[in-house]
Amino acid sequence: MRAPAPAFAYDLNDATIEAAQAAIPVGLVDAFARAGEVQLHVHRDHLIAALTVLRDTPGLEYQQLMEIAGVDYPDRAERFEVVYCLLSLTRNHRLHVHVATDEEQPIPSVTGLWPVAGWLEREVFDMYGVLFAGNRDLRRILTDYGFRGHPFRKDFPLTGYVEMRYSEEAKRVVYEPVSLAQDFRTFDFMSPWEGAEYVLPGDEKAKLPEAKGAPTPLSADAIQKADASQSAKREAAAPSQPYAKEDAKSTAETGRGAAGPDGGGPKPADPDVVPGKGGQNQ
């Protein structure tokens, strides 16, 4: 390595594009930098030669294959793009190689250059259905046995084609076609804030009287104020209850031992209280 820890620099993009265009004279469809990263679009028939040049040419030296990703563009004639993410340890720089294909034309496998590509190509095949010529073990890797379709395609239904459950009768896991209950077949894609006409659970509470100061969408003459109708109050059974007590009308009545509202007599003397000489209780 030229340096123990080379710093990643965006100014390497222009030099990388020029070096790639000079090293790949055939099969390079386009080369440009987007979002700070270099993209090379290569024809699938020249993919192996282009990746070999990018790996072994001095000044490029993209030694590691970090990832293989898939993209689906249904409107294109070749709807799929397979993206090879490369990393140069020598230059601390990343590069993306794009290859276009369709459902029938296979892409050459790069397992001869990077053995790790075997599993990565299986993922793209499983999710998108892209074929790789030369992969000796091109099987599904993420979906279940007997899975039909490719989940990452834009035209794949969100609910899938089959559903899996455990059958008590068969004592095993069974696969059945997806069936939606009638309650879930009506989709209006509208929220209550956008004018949905159906009544959601809890909407009936909006017709109750609102507290003072609460916001309401009703007009002023249609609002039933919280204090407009008072419920009947229960009379106090005895003046000793807290809600039946009355305040003193003057300071002269405070603590003078006057009779209560019920007209009772004076309080009985407490035999346990013995007055002292100075009139203070002992």
Side-chain angles (χ1 to χ4, degrees):
M1 297 177 62
R2 298 191 183 96
F8 181 85
Y10 290 104
D11 55 4
L12 295 178
N13 291 345
D14 295 336
T16 300
I17 293 176
E18 294 178 0
Q21 290 174 342
I24 313 174
V26 180
L28 184 60
V29 179
D30 198 0
F32 53 88
R34 177 174 295 174
E37 295 186 350
V38 176
Q39 296 186 16
L40 302 180
H41 292 256
V42 180
H43 194 274
R44 59 177 175 269
D45 295 338
H46 303 276
L47 175 64
I48 300 299
L51 293 180
T52 303
V53 168
L54 293 174
R55 186 191 65 175
D56 301 337
T57 301
L60 293 173
E61 302 166 317
Y62 290 91
Q63 299 97 343
Q64 285 195 359
L65 174 64
M66 305 302 297
E67 183 62 86
I68 300 179
V71 189
D72 184 15
Y73 299 98
D75 297 335
R76 297 182 182 179
E78 294 182 336
R79 60 182 295 182
F80 301 115
E81 271 194 9
V82 179
V83 184
Y84 297 83
C85 305
L86 306 181
L87 170 64
S88 173
L89 297 176
T90 306
R91 306 167 64 233
N92 193 16
H93 194 263
R94 295 182 183 271
L95 181 74
H96 294 168
V97 178
H98 294 243
V99 181
T101 187
D102 54 16
E103 302 177 3
E104 299 179 357
Q105 298 296 327
I107 294 179
S109 175
V110 298
T111 52
L113 298 176
W114 294 285
V116 69
W119 284 47
L120 303 177
E121 291 173 353
R122 288 178 60 181
E123 290 181 1
V124 177
F125 165 73
D126 194 359
M127 297 292 103
Y128 294 93
V130 176
L131 302 176
F132 293 90
N135 190 313
R136 299 181 180 180
D137 191 18
L138 195 62
R139 297 177 297 154
R140 292 185 180 270
I141 191 173
L142 297 177
T143 54
D144 201 359
Y145 299 103
F147 190 88
R148 187 160 55 95
H150 304 280
F152 280 8
R153 290 187 178 184
K154 297 294 182 61
D155 52 3
F156 187 80
L158 296 179
T159 55
Y161 296 103
V162 295
E163 58 185 356
M164 177 182 63
R165 68 177 181 86
Y166 180 79
S167 174
E168 287 290 346
E169 298 178 356
K171 300 299 181 183
R172 63 180 179 88
V173 176
V174 297
Y175 293 86
E176 299 174 342
V178 173
S179 59
L180 293 177
Q182 189 65 31
D183 297 340
F184 298 97
R185 288 186 179 275
T186 302
F187 306 103
D188 55 9
F189 302 103
M190 295 182 64
S191 66
W193 297 273
E194 296 174 350
E197 298 181 356
Y198 54 83
V199 179
L200 294 175
D203 285 356
E204 67 277 359
K205 298 179 181 179
K207 300 183 180 299
L208 299 178
E210 295 193 10
K212 290 184 177 181
T216 175
L218 302 178
S219 59
D221 50 351
I223 297 175
Q224 182 181 1
K225 297 296 183 180
D227 54 353
S229 59
Q230 297 288 344
S231 58
K233 295 182 179 178
R234 181 171 59 88
E235 296 294 337
S240 60
Q241 297 184 6
Y243 54 84
K245 290 184 178 180
E246 297 180 357
D247 296 336
K249 298 180 180 180
S250 65
T251 57
E253 298 180 1
T254 305
R256 67 184 181 88
D262 55 352
K267 297 181 180 180
D270 191 350
D272 296 333
V273 178
V274 179
K277 295 181 179 181
Q280 186 177 6
N281 295 338
Q282 302 296 324

